[in-house]
Amino acid sequence: MADPLEKDGAGVDDEQPRQRFVLDEGDFNEVPAKYRRFYRHWRGAGDQLAPNEVICPVCKIVIRSTRELRPGDRVYCMACMTRLRVTRSPSGQLEGECEY
Amino acid sequence: MSGTRERVSDVHDLAPEAFEREVHSFEFWFQAVEGYLHGTTYGHRPDAAATPLTDSERDRLVTVLCNYCVGETAALEGASGLVAIAPNRMTKVFLATQAVDEGRHLEVLLHRLGELGVANPEAEIEKRASASILEFRRRLLALVGSKDWEAALFAQNVILEAMEFTVFQTHAQTADPITAQVLQGIVKDERRHIGFGENELGRRLRESPHRRARIGEVKRDLDALVIETFAETVRDIGIPASERPDLGRAYLAAVSRLGLGVS
Ligand SMILES: [Fe+2]
Ligand SMILES: [Fe+2]
Ligand SMILES: [Zn+2]
C-alpha cells in the first residue's frame, strides 16, 4: 500500500502542500518491471483508494502516483495505454477521465 | 530481460509524446508480457490442477472455446489487416504486437481444446461455431478490406476486444483452473488492445468530428450481432441471467466515452 512519507509542497503554487508517497512493489505484472509500482489491481468490495490513487475507467486498474492526486493532474495507465485527467466526481471521489 | 532495475521517479511526469512512444513499442511489449507469461506453457503454469469435468461440462466448454477460437482468428486477421491501413509507423508497430498477441491467443485456445481431448480442433470449430460470431468476423474483415481505418478499428478494437475482455474475465471466475489461467493471461493482453482502440479512435474523432456519423453507422449495423454473440456465449458458459446485463457494460461505457452512446 501507499505510505505517506512526508508533506511536500514541490510543484504546487498556492495550494496546500501535497502528501508524498513511497510506492511498494505489489503483484502487478502487466507492465515492465520499472513501472509496476505505479499500478495495482482493485481488490473488490472493501478496497479503498488512497489519496494518490485513481481507477482507470478503461481497464479498471488502480493507477498510483508518488504524489497526492488533485483535480487537473495528468496520469497514465500503462496497462491499457490511456492518458487521463484527474477530476472530482459529484460524490467527491477522484476519478480519471480519458484525454484522447 | 529482467537485468538491472531502472528507477523511474514518477511515470506520470512523462511528456505525452514520450508516453505514447514508450507504450506502443515492441520494447515495452516484450517486458510487459514477460511479467505474466514467464514460466507458463501454452498460457498456464505447468502445475495448474486439471480438475475432472463431467461429459456435459466438457462438451459445453469445447463449444465455448471453439467460438473463442473464431473470435481470436477474426482478431488475428483483423489486426494483421489493420497494419496495412494504419496511418503511421507507431500505430503499425503496436498493431504488430497485437497480431502476435492474437496469434498466441488462438494457439493457447487450440492447445486447450487438444488437452480436453479434441483430436481435430479445426473440424470441431467448423462444426460448433455460432452463426453470429461468423457473421461478425465476415463484417469485420469486410471493413478492414475496404480500408476504412476508423470503422475497422472500431469493429476490431472497441467492439470485438470489449466483448472478449468482458466475456473472458467473467468466464475465468468460474472456469476450471487451467482454462481460468489461460483466459486470465489473454485478458492481460486484451487490456492493451481495448485501450489502443479507444484512444486511437478518440484522437481521430477529436481531430475529425465528422467521422462520428460513420462510426455511429457501423455501430448501429453491428450492435444486434454483438448482443446476439454475447447472449449465445454467456448461455454456453452458464452465467445466470441476473448477471448478464453487466456483460455489455465495458462496451457501453467505451462507446459512451467516445460520444457514440446514442444509436
Ligand atoms: Fe485476443
Ligand atoms: Fe485482442
Ligand atoms: Zn487502463
Side-chain angles (χ1 to χ4, degrees):
Chain A
M1 272 308 295
D3 301 315
L5 177 68
E6 55 179 326
K7 301 275 183 185
D8 170 354
V12 185
D13 300 332
D14 48 355
E15 299 172 355
Q16 287 286 316
R18 295 190 188 216
Q19 269 184 302
R20 305 285 300 200
F21 293 80
V22 174
L23 305 178
D24 57 359
E25 295 257 355
D27 59 357
F28 192 78
N29 60 7
E30 298 182 33
V31 294
K34 62 185 170 187
Y35 302 125
R36 286 186 193 151
R37 64 199 169 98
F38 295 100
Y39 304 95
R40 69 173 178 88
H41 287 284
W42 175 251
R43 288 183 287 268
D47 195 355
Q48 271 193 330
L49 291 177
N52 64 326
E53 297 180 331
V54 280
I55 289 188
C56 171
V58 176
C59 75
K60 311 300 179 202
I61 290 299
V62 180
I63 301 166
R64 314 167 76 206
S65 170
T66 55
R67 288 181 290 269
E68 172 193 345
L69 291 171
R70 295 191 178 165
D73 288 348
R74 180 191 62 214
V75 291
Y76 297 112
C77 177
M78 280 193 156
C80 74
M81 315 185 308
T82 300
R83 185 172 80 205
L84 301 155
R85 189 64 62 179
V86 176
T87 60
R88 194 174 295 284
S89 75
S91 67
Q93 182 146 349
L94 290 180
E95 287 180 336
E97 201 170 88
C98 297
E99 204 166 65
Y100 301 131
Chain B
M1 260 184 264
S2 45
T4 321
R5 182 80 49 100
E6 197 185 316
R7 287 305 277 182
V8 177
S9 54
D10 195 314
V11 71
H12 310 299
D13 291 337
L14 280 174
E17 303 71 34
F19 169 73
E20 297 290 321
R21 263 197 317 275
E22 173 75 355
V23 295
H24 289 90
S25 68
F26 252 100
E27 198 54 42
F28 178 90
W29 176 87
F30 277 132
Q31 296 176 35
V33 298
E34 197 258 352
Y36 52 92
L37 294 181
H38 181 78
T40 63
T41 307
Y42 290 106
H44 62 82
R45 288 188 295 278
D47 59 354
T51 49
L53 300 171
T54 65
D55 283 352
S56 84
E57 282 170 343
R58 179 194 163 279
D59 190 63
R60 269 196 296 145
L61 181 57
V62 167
T63 299
V64 169
L65 295 180
C66 282
N67 281 289
Y68 290 172
C69 283
V70 178
E72 292 299 342
T73 305
L76 173 58
E77 293 164 336
S80 322
L82 284 171
V83 173
I85 60 171
N88 56 57
R89 287 184 169 76
M90 188 183 73
T91 311
K92 287 176 191 287
V93 170
F94 174 79
L95 283 163
T97 70
Q98 183 177 337
V100 174
D101 289 334
E102 308 300 5
R104 185 187 80 80
H105 300 168
L106 182 56
E107 180 176 271
V108 295
L109 292 169
L110 288 169
H111 190 265
R112 184 71 190 123
L113 283 170
E115 288 174 336
L116 290 166
V118 175
N120 184 348
E122 291 286 350
E124 210 61 38
I125 294 168
E126 210 54 48
K127 212 161 66 191
R128 298 186 188 230
S130 84
S132 59
I133 186 78
L134 288 171
E135 177 61 12
F136 184 87
R137 176 185 174 195
R138 196 187 63 74
R139 302 244 202 128
L140 165 67
L141 297 181
L143 288 172
V144 175
S146 70
K147 301 194 187 331
D148 190 340
W149 168 244
E150 288 86 8
L153 186 71
F154 177 70
Q156 158 95 30
N157 276 54
V158 179
I159 298 186
L160 180 60
E161 295 292 342
M163 196 152 53
E164 292 182 335
F165 183 68
T166 312
V167 168
F168 294 171
Q169 224 170 11
T170 309
H171 186 184
Q173 289 166 15
T174 54
D176 65 273
I178 294 180
T179 305
Q181 282 185 19
V182 168
L183 293 174
Q184 281 156 357
I186 296 179
V187 163
K188 293 179 183 198
D189 293 334
E190 305 294 19
R191 260 190 237 289
R192 291 188 295 275
H193 308 167
I194 54 168
F196 170 74
E198 179 170 336
N199 284 287
E200 173 65 16
L201 204 58
R203 271 190 292 276
R204 301 287 284 190
L205 293 177
R206 193 196 63 215
E207 287 160 9
S208 319
H210 65 277
R211 295 180 208 263
R212 204 175 295 274
R214 169 69 184 130
I215 306 299
E217 211 175 276
V218 176
K219 177 180 176 294
R220 276 191 298 278
D221 213 37
L222 293 176
D223 263 357
L225 260 183
V226 175
I227 292 165
E228 203 179 312
T229 308
F230 255 126
E232 281 172 352
T233 314
V234 298
R235 193 195 51 222
D236 289 335
I237 301 172
I239 295 170
S242 58
E243 289 173 28
R244 289 180 197 173
D246 250 24
L247 279 171
R249 206 170 50 183
Y251 167 61
L252 293 174
V255 295
S256 144
R257 283 191 296 269
L258 287 166
L260 301 163
V262 185
S263 4

